[in-house]
Amino acid sequence: MSNSLTQLLTLYEWLIGGVLIGWILGRKLPTIVPYYLGKILYWVIVPIAIIAFLRKADLSGSIWIAPLVAWAAIFLGAGLAWMGLHWQNRIPKLNILPQSLPAQGSFLLASMVGNTGYIGFPVSLALVGPQYFGWAVFYDGLGTVIGAYGLGVALAARFGMGKQDPWQLVQVSLTNPALMSMVIGLMVRNIPVAAPIEQGLKGIAWGSVALTLVLMGMRLSQLNSWRYFQPASVSLAIKMLIVPLVLGYGLMLLGLTGSPLLVLVLQMATPPAFATLVLAEAFNLDRELAVTNLAMGSTLLLLTLPLWLFLFGQST
């Protein structure tokens, strides 16, 4: 247990320190800086990091469970959110969840798609280590990415009023560099390379973790919206509490334990993805609600991490 506590404190140092640095820089630097940093991370640094970490990851056993769990989490979150909207329509006096279609679309997206890349990767690496990083990569690449730009696009088109071609965003998921680097990483993971190259890949990999946290802070420094506190609280309760609890204990009953289980729970418990904001802007959903979910979810993560370690980290 003391080891888990040490890992958690180290993670908090990374999370709070990296995000705080990014928040300060976001307030001082031009708004174009996080845009270009995000592009560099998205297209270059994070794909290299995935290839590097996959070289040390254990891909044996039941790793293909990861994307299946990701889809189960997506459908469970979306289903619970839809049920909430359905029951509010039958009991209007509740008046907690959003009423307009664009706001309902943002509510649904925030309940189902998590930030399993920018946040999930650093959290899994810090609390579990690189050995089981492959589980996080499979969860993100074959689950979250396709879910966000597949099912997420369909929902955004249904609830939004945008003129964005849905098929263009579906193509984004299929050409996502994280997904492509996962395929490349699987192909080259057993090819020996010179020690300096191996060390260089390792440096880029861990550097990407720090840079992603700085980018998170820079983006959060630009978010200021709290009018939708109540509906955001409900979507975050679904996404970050109910779904990980239900599926986490369900996986335990099915016999999955140890580090793989903890990685999957941590991925399920991530805050809403930045893809929800991308879709909100593309399809004219409620951007303010999407922003509120991002800001509140990033804060809630610090409070929920000890819970997941206590419930599912005992046997890691």
Side-chain angles (χ1 to χ4, degrees):
M1 192 68 183
S2 59
N3 185 46
S4 296
L5 180 60
T6 301
Q7 290 174 309
L8 186 63
L9 292 176
T10 302
L11 175 60
Y12 278 173
E13 290 178 4
W14 273 77
L15 286 176
I16 297 175
V19 172
L20 181 59
I21 291 172
W23 189 88
I24 295 172
L25 291 175
R27 291 287 184 176
K28 302 292 185 182
L29 298 176
T31 55
I32 198 68
V33 173
Y35 171 81
Y36 282 114
L37 177 58
K39 289 289 185 183
I40 294 171
L41 280 167
Y42 182 78
W43 288 105
V44 181
I45 299 179
V46 170
I48 293 176
I50 290 174
I51 293 172
F53 281 128
L54 280 178
R55 294 182 64 82
K56 302 297 183 182
D58 181 3
L59 303 183
S60 61
S62 306
I63 193 171
W64 285 100
I65 291 175
L68 298 179
V69 172
W71 279 99
I74 288 170
F75 281 112
L76 179 58
L80 291 173
W82 181 87
M83 288 173 59
L85 293 172
H86 176 73
W87 281 105
Q88 176 165 277
N89 291 334
R90 301 188 60 164
I91 313 175
K93 290 183 179 179
L94 288 177
N95 198 30
I96 297 175
L97 303 183
Q99 302 288 336
S100 68
L101 284 179
Q104 289 179 357
S106 291
F107 175 78
L108 282 166
L109 290 176
S111 302
M112 57 184 260
V113 183
N115 194 337
T116 53
Y118 285 140
I119 287 296
F121 287 173
V123 168
S124 296
L125 286 167
L127 295 182
V128 185
Q131 182 180 3
Y132 292 94
F133 183 67
W135 288 72
V137 172
F138 274 53
Y139 188 108
D140 178 72
L142 298 180
T144 301
V145 171
I146 297 175
Y149 293 105
L151 178 60
V153 166
L155 287 174
R158 164 66 179 81
F159 286 88
M161 298 173 290
K163 302 185 182 299
Q164 178 81 33
D165 181 4
W167 288 108
Q168 289 182 356
L169 289 179
V170 171
Q171 291 171 6
V172 170
S173 68
L174 299 178
T175 58
N176 185 283
L179 185 58
M180 292 188 291
S181 66
M182 181 184 74
V183 175
I184 295 172
L186 293 174
M187 294 172 61
V188 304
R189 67 186 303 265
N190 294 321
I191 298 177
V193 297
I197 297 178
E198 192 77 57
Q199 288 298 317
L201 288 172
K202 183 177 179 181
I204 292 174
W206 285 106
S208 73
V209 174
L211 285 175
T212 53
L213 295 177
V214 171
L215 177 62
M216 280 289 297
M218 296 177 77
R219 285 177 165 170
L220 288 175
S221 71
Q222 301 169 356
L223 306 182
N224 295 293
S225 176
W226 301 102
R227 182 166 64 93
Y228 283 120
F229 180 83
Q230 284 188 324
S233 298
V234 176
S235 61
L236 292 176
I238 293 172
K239 170 69 188 68
M240 300 180 66
L241 291 173
I242 298 175
V243 169
L245 279 172
V246 171
L247 294 183
Y249 278 110
L251 290 170
M252 286 183 68
L253 292 176
L254 292 174
L256 186 66
T257 59
S259 296
L261 174 62
L262 180 58
V263 170
L264 295 181
V265 169
L266 291 174
Q267 290 292 84
M268 286 187 277
T270 51
F274 272 105
T276 61
L277 183 56
V278 172
L279 294 176
E281 292 175 339
F283 289 94
N284 287 334
L285 298 179
D286 195 309
R287 185 183 185 278
E288 189 175 350
L289 178 54
V291 165
T292 304
N293 274 301
L294 294 179
M296 290 177 58
S298 299
T299 304
L300 180 61
L301 177 69
L302 299 177
L303 303 177
T304 56
L305 284 176
L307 173 66
W308 308 127
L309 270 180
F310 176 75
L311 294 177
F312 301 102
Q314 303 297 320
S315 59
T316 60

